[in-house]
Amino acid sequence: MISYELEPQQQQVKEIVHWFAENEMRPISMLADKLANVPDDWLRKVNNIGISMSTSTLGEGSKSEGQKKERQGNRLAVIATEELAWGDAAIALTLPGPGLGGPPIQHSGTPEQKQRFLSIFSRDEEPRWGAYALTEPEAGSDVSGIQTTAVKTKGGYILNGQKIFITNGKRASWVVAFATINKELGRAGHRAFVVEKGTPGFSCSRVAHKMGLRASETAELVFEDCFVPDENLLGGEEYYESKGSGPSGFRVAMKTFDTTRPIIAAMATGIARGAYEYTIDLIKKEYPLHGRQFQMAAETLASIQQSIEAARLLTWESAWKADLGLPNAKEAAMCKAFAGKMALESTSKCLELLGPIGLENHIVEKMYRDAKIFDIFEGTNQIQQLIVARHLYEPFGIRV
Ligand SMILES: Cc1cc2nc3c(=O)[nH]c(=O)nc-3n(C[C@H](O)[C@H](O)[C@H](O)COP(=O)(O)OP(=O)(O)OC[C@H]3O[C@@H](n4cnc5c(N)ncnc54)[C@H](O)[C@@H]3O)c2cc1C
């Protein structure tokens, strides 16, 4: 059994990050949404404080009971992330750091690559970002269909193709980009490259205007005869060759999701909790003034609260397994699917409870818009259900 109580270190992280979310993020939340950007001076200040979206590594995958080693990184990450998203999910995604690009480098990079690409995120310098570029116009849910090509040449690879919807893709110092060395090989042909900003042939063609998470940059990237040196092939040649049909860029991409989906679920939980807490506070103050019965709202609020707690527990379970180095793909998909849907339903119910005041330039209206994206990115809800179904039925020989 595990304990549901936070340990002292976890509690401390939660409190510090919550303080930051309440006092530093909330005051600029509506402004950032309106500007569709996070002010540079704020990002510089925050960089010095050293708060970032912490995405931890999954570890080495499956381990036997005897090999379990207790780590805290994934649990601390989901606890902190829920608080950050309570403050503002779009700003949380824009906090300086390696972002979704961190996990693939952590779990698949060579020691030299980890040092080179992860050591740039130090507090005292200018804020810096990393990014993760998998999605293409013809390959989102169906990752195996990526069309960006990587052709071997002397000393490196030539990349050609396009990536869309890349979080922090324009501002990133480097992007972990996925490409195929041979489309006929399918997933086995996938490779992951770290492409540095300023590399000739690598550019940003557009930043998307979205209904939600407006302050978070979502970029389209283009590779045109872009030369990437061998030393930027993630994991190096041996990583892909060592086990025959073994590791491919596809596996790198999938392993990343096992770490990042709990983080996304924690964000969705934080948004829902933010909307819920705002709504219940207002109702407590306003309802008696207008002679309305709190009881009318109580049932809805209770069901929101239950859903938030259920999402959090699924998320914690997934992060806990990751900390122990146990396979968690099913749990990661479950918490992501549940929390994404829950955030949208909860924020929608909060808006209904608030009535017309919630509709115009209101933080709960913004949270509702922000929540929508959580059942799309990091794999849509339908795809998460497919992953869960595969884990449930394939052991019985039923192909999903
Ligand atoms: C704000 C934002 C930020 C993002 N950030 C990043 C990022 O940093 N890096 C990155 O690589 N990507 C990023 N994405 C892309 C995101 O992960 C994809 O949009 C998502 O995976 C869905 O892919 P798609 O857009 O191609 O949709 P599609 O795959 O075309 O899906 C369209 C619809 O078809 C359904 N569908 C597709 N296949 C199946 C199936 N087999 N069975 C049932 N239903 C199916 C989907 O569930 C969905 O409802 C971001 C997206 C957004 C909106």
Side-chain angles (χ1 to χ4, degrees):
M1 269 306 283
I2 58 161
S3 164
Y4 292 100
E5 265 178 11
L6 293 185
E7 290 169 12
Q9 187 195 8
Q10 294 167 340
Q11 185 62 32
Q12 196 184 17
V13 165
K14 181 178 160 67
E15 283 168 18
I16 292 171
V17 178
H18 186 81
W19 184 93
F20 175 81
E22 186 164 17
N23 295 287
E24 297 286 350
M25 296 172 92
R26 276 285 175 92
I28 64 155
S29 180
M30 295 305 283
L31 173 72
D33 184 63
K34 195 170 165 198
L35 296 174
N37 200 1
V38 182
D40 286 343
D41 54 348
W42 189 90
L43 288 168
R44 250 182 244 113
K45 183 177 84 173
V46 164
N47 193 48
N48 289 332
I49 299 173
I51 291 219
S52 73
M53 271 284 287
S54 154
T55 45
S56 229
T57 49
L58 174 65
E60 295 78 44
S62 179
K63 287 190 190 320
S64 69
E65 285 290 304
Q67 289 175 300
K68 280 181 189 174
K69 56 178 178 183
E70 187 81 19
R71 292 187 302 178
Q72 285 280 333
N74 290 280
R75 273 167 289 177
L76 287 174
V78 295
I79 289 164
T81 301
E82 182 182 326
E83 301 310 311
L84 290 174
W86 178 94
D88 186 298
I91 298 175
L93 284 169
T94 313
L95 289 172
L100 298 179
I105 294 186
Q106 282 280 6
H107 62 61
S108 305
T110 63
E112 187 273 331
Q113 288 171 336
K114 287 181 196 174
Q115 166 62 24
R116 190 150 62 99
F117 298 118
L118 298 178
S119 65
I120 64 167
F121 301 102
S122 69
R123 282 186 198 187
D124 298 317
E125 296 172 19
E126 282 291 293
R128 294 208 172 96
W129 293 263
Y132 174 89
L134 180 65
T135 307
E136 300 181 0
E138 303 303 326
S141 301
D142 181 15
V143 174
S144 60
I146 55 173
Q147 301 293 311
T148 297
T149 53
V151 176
K152 186 76 185 95
T153 186
K154 192 166 177 278
Y157 290 80
I158 304 282
L159 266 56
N160 275 291
Q162 187 191 4
K163 298 286 175 184
I164 56 172
F165 297 128
I166 307 306
T167 301
N168 295 325
K170 187 176 179 196
R171 59 172 97 230
S173 297
W174 49 252
V175 169
V176 175
F178 293 82
T180 174
I181 53 166
N182 181 348
K183 288 179 193 169
E184 284 173 16
L185 290 177
R187 295 167 177 186
H190 292 188
R191 298 289 181 269
F193 299 88
V194 187
V195 185
E196 292 163 89
K197 191 173 193 166
T199 304
F202 171 44
S203 61
C204 170
S205 52
R206 194 174 88 90
V207 171
H209 295 281
K210 310 183 296 299
M211 69 174 270
L213 295 181
R214 287 172 52 78
S216 165
E217 176 187 278
T218 310
E220 289 185 11
L221 305 176
V222 179
F223 302 98
E224 282 171 308
D225 293 330
C226 173
F227 175 79
V228 180
D230 284 333
E231 55 268 29
N232 287 28
L233 173 65
L234 197 61
E237 299 282 353
E238 316 76 54
Y239 181 80
Y240 301 91
E241 285 163 7
S242 59
K243 293 177 189 155
S245 61
S248 72
F250 182 77
R251 293 255 306 264
V252 176
M254 293 304 115
K255 207 167 171 188
T256 300
F257 289 141
D258 295 345
T259 311
T260 54
R261 281 178 181 151
I263 299 278
I264 298 298
M267 292 191 89
T269 308
I271 295 177
R273 200 184 104 218
Y276 166 79
E277 287 178 7
Y278 185 96
T279 306
I280 200 163
D281 278 353
L282 201 86
I283 282 178
K284 276 194 284 190
K285 278 190 227 133
E286 295 282 319
Y287 269 35
L289 284 180
H290 299 99
R292 287 159 79 190
Q293 295 278 323
F294 179 68
Q295 203 181 355
M296 288 166 66
E299 197 186 324
T300 307
L301 286 164
S303 82
I304 297 174
Q305 171 71 14
Q306 285 167 41
S307 308
I308 291 171
E309 296 210 2
R312 183 182 300 123
L313 290 180
L314 280 173
T315 304
W316 282 5
E317 185 195 4
S318 168
W320 170 75
K321 283 196 140 185
D323 277 337
L324 263 59
L326 297 169
N328 75 334
K330 181 184 76 181
E331 290 76 12
M334 274 166 118
C335 68
K336 160 72 175 65
F338 186 85
K341 194 159 172 268
M342 179 281 295
L344 191 61
E345 286 171 0
S346 299
T347 50
S348 170
K349 285 178 187 166
C350 287
L351 273 183
E352 281 167 25
L353 289 170
L354 291 176
I357 61 154
L359 294 182
E360 196 184 1
N361 198 26
H362 195 282
I363 189 143
V364 177
E365 177 261 348
K366 177 189 130 42
M367 288 167 168
Y368 172 69
R369 286 190 283 108
D370 287 348
K372 179 60 204 162
I373 288 165
F374 285 79
D375 69 2
I376 299 175
F377 69 176
E378 291 286 298
T380 65
N381 233 319
Q382 292 84 349
I383 296 302
Q384 308 304 328
Q385 305 295 4
L386 269 181
I387 295 169
V388 175
R390 275 183 199 135
H391 278 86
L392 293 178
Y393 302 115
E394 286 188 355
F396 302 104
I398 303 171
R399 214 174 124 70
V400 180

